[in-house]
Amino acid sequence: MIINMNTILECNQITKRYSSLTALTSVNLSLGRGKVIGLLGPNGSGKTTLIKIINGLLVPNEGTLLVNGQKPGPETKKIVSYLPDKSYLPDWMKVKDAINMYQDFYENFNKNKAYEMLKRLDLDPNRKLKSLSKGTKEKVQLILVMSRDADLYCLDEPIGGVDPAARDYILNTIITNYNENSTVLISTHLIADIENVLDEVIFIKEGHITLHNSVDEIRSQEGKSIDTLFREVFKC
Amino acid sequence: MEWELSSDRPIYIQLIEQLQAAIIAGNLSPGDKIPSVRDLASEAQVNPNTMQKALAELERNGLLYTERTSGRYITSDKELIMKLKKQSAKSQIQEFIEKMKLMGFQPEETLALIEETIKDK
């Protein structure tokens, strides 16, 4: 197989079953570098399953998935920065402990960048995670994830539980921190909030990829927003 | 700069229109340096790729130019800006004439009405 240097992620006929439930069916996907891509689908459509496979937390029953030409494993974990959909940091930690932990774990973690972003948030690194509100905790986790100099960022529902002002902060953090060599994959169902920062969108419906196109292309072809199109495609 | 983006049209086209409008209106002056792609993108809350695409298009039509080491500038070619200004005015006028036609006014009658309105002011 010829590996395109511009491809960061390649999925080939990925199928994932959980006993009787098929979460992903023959997913083919190829993602380029230097883009912000939305993985959009309703609850239970397979978004988190796909992201977990990319991160090597789940193994597909069929098909292959390559990150930068390699199967998920220690090498790909170095270049993929993952924000899970749940909180994962121990509550007893202070913000600065979490930063130190990331520093220990990841060669490509940029401590200065993390502290700079904290400063902009006006957040004291000596605060305990337990004392932070849900939204602030989510911001801290995003700061940790975006402070890595990664090739692929996988953000699972990064704007789920936060207020609109925090949403703007998070989106700004995302678009100011990725570079032309890295790609950001954002899974969400809150489309209206993020569609202006996306280069491409992927629609996922009941484990099938139904659409993968550039946002500008869709808007000029359909004459409507991604949000409107999504509501039509996924109408209950 | 204030940005207003609707979500039913390609963003880069709206960015081009709004930058052009700012240049025509003189909010961005000829020869001025414009902020970096990242700063502009952050200000408009859009993806830097999209802002880059819009700026590249404005460079192609000559409204912006790049100095290799120091950044992007607005053209000092005032004639070009004037030409664009006229184009933009003409399309507004055409749109207006069409609307007046729908109301049953011929272009000469519309013109007379315009003169009358200006005098009344």
Side-chain angles (χ1 to χ4, degrees):
Chain A
M1 199 171 115
I2 301 162
I3 294 156
N4 184 345
M5 284 303 287
N6 282 321
T7 309
I8 181 66
L9 179 74
E10 189 88 55
C11 297
N12 199 355
Q13 295 288 329
I14 297 268
T15 296
K16 175 67 188 173
R17 292 184 210 96
Y18 301 113
S19 58
S20 65
L21 178 87
T22 305
L24 294 174
T25 311
S26 305
V27 166
N28 290 314
L29 201 59
S30 175
L31 303 186
R33 285 176 184 267
K35 289 173 178 167
V36 182
I37 301 170
L39 179 62
L40 315 177
N43 301 320
S45 53
K47 303 190 292 289
T48 297
T49 300
L50 179 60
I51 285 182
K52 283 188 171 167
I53 293 174
I54 296 170
N55 284 284
L57 301 171
L58 290 172
V59 180
N61 299 92
E62 288 157 36
T64 52
L65 180 144
L66 298 175
V67 177
N68 199 25
Q70 291 174 304
K71 285 190 175 162
E75 286 306 312
T76 66
K77 287 183 186 188
K78 284 183 188 167
I79 58 167
V80 180
S81 193
Y82 170 46
L83 180 73
D85 58 347
K86 291 186 192 78
S87 177
Y88 56 92
L89 295 167
D91 257 353
W92 57 263
M93 273 191 174
K94 290 177 178 166
V95 174
K96 68 175 184 195
D97 297 330
I99 290 178
N100 287 334
M101 183 175 78
Y102 259 70
Q103 172 89 326
D104 290 342
F105 260 102
Y106 300 110
E107 282 171 11
N108 58 10
F109 185 73
N110 185 337
K111 201 171 174 176
N112 294 338
K113 204 167 167 184
Y115 274 109
E116 220 168 86
M117 283 195 258
L118 278 183
K119 209 169 147 195
R120 242 186 299 145
L121 259 186
D122 223 356
L123 190 68
D124 178 4
N126 286 310
R127 288 271 301 270
K128 279 200 173 174
L129 292 173
K130 196 159 68 179
S131 74
L132 302 178
S133 71
K134 190 180 172 210
T136 308
K137 216 185 285 177
E138 287 190 18
K139 285 186 217 164
V140 170
Q141 293 184 2
L142 183 79
I143 287 174
L144 293 170
V145 168
M146 293 309 293
S147 294
R148 286 182 62 196
D149 197 4
D151 287 29
L152 178 63
Y153 299 89
C154 292
L155 313 178
D156 200 353
E157 296 282 0
I159 54 171
V162 300
D163 64 78
R167 232 166 252 183
D168 286 349
Y169 174 85
I170 286 175
L171 291 179
N172 218 334
T173 304
I174 295 168
I175 59 178
T176 50
N177 280 295
Y178 88 105
N179 61 57
E180 58 276 10
N181 275 317
S182 54
T183 280
V184 185
L185 184 66
I186 308 176
S187 104
T188 189
H189 55 265
L190 299 167
I191 298 162
D193 290 321
I194 69 156
E195 66 170 280
N196 277 6
V197 308
L198 301 178
D199 289 300
E200 294 177 2
V201 290
I202 299 161
F203 277 14
I204 182 166
K205 188 178 188 179
E206 292 161 10
H208 296 265
I209 305 280
T210 57
L211 174 86
H212 179 195
N213 205 347
S214 91
V215 170
D216 282 340
E217 195 105 336
I218 293 171
R219 287 187 182 187
S220 50
Q221 273 171 15
E222 307 273 338
K224 55 184 90 149
S225 70
I226 307 300
D227 189 49
T228 310
L229 182 67
F230 182 88
R231 282 165 203 267
E232 285 174 13
V233 172
F234 293 100
K235 202 170 162 193
C236 295
Chain B
M1 188 170 160
E2 293 274 322
W3 300 88
E4 245 176 70
L5 301 171
S6 77
S7 52
D8 52 358
R9 294 168 56 225
I11 295 168
Y12 78 97
I13 293 176
Q14 299 182 60
L15 295 176
I16 292 171
E17 288 170 353
Q18 290 180 31
L19 282 162
Q20 257 182 6
I23 295 171
I24 289 173
N27 296 339
L28 298 171
S29 312
D32 272 6
K33 188 177 175 177
I34 62 165
S36 71
V37 174
R38 269 183 192 270
D39 288 345
L40 281 172
S42 168
E43 189 186 277
Q45 292 262 321
V46 299
N47 185 314
N49 290 335
T50 314
M51 187 56 80
Q52 174 64 36
K53 195 171 168 186
L55 296 182
E57 184 60 39
L58 288 171
E59 239 169 57
R60 214 166 300 133
N61 70 21
L63 273 181
L64 297 179
Y65 68 95
T66 303
E67 285 283 350
R68 210 162 267 284
T69 50
S70 60
R72 260 201 193 83
Y73 295 84
I74 292 163
T75 180
S76 313
D77 184 349
K78 288 183 182 152
E79 264 174 51
L80 181 69
I81 295 174
M82 188 43 103
K83 206 174 114 195
L84 218 81
K85 205 167 175 167
K86 273 192 179 158
Q87 251 175 31
S88 165
K90 274 188 179 163
S91 75
Q92 292 278 334
I93 292 169
Q94 259 153 15
E95 203 178 306
F96 173 67
I97 292 175
E98 288 307 312
K99 275 186 192 158
M100 295 302 279
K101 267 189 194 156
L102 286 174
M103 284 164 80
F105 291 105
Q106 288 310 305
E108 312 78 62
E109 295 172 290
T110 303
L111 190 59
L113 268 173
I114 291 173
E115 279 170 350
E116 203 183 306
T117 313
I118 292 172
K119 263 184 215 146
D120 284 352
K121 230 180 179 179

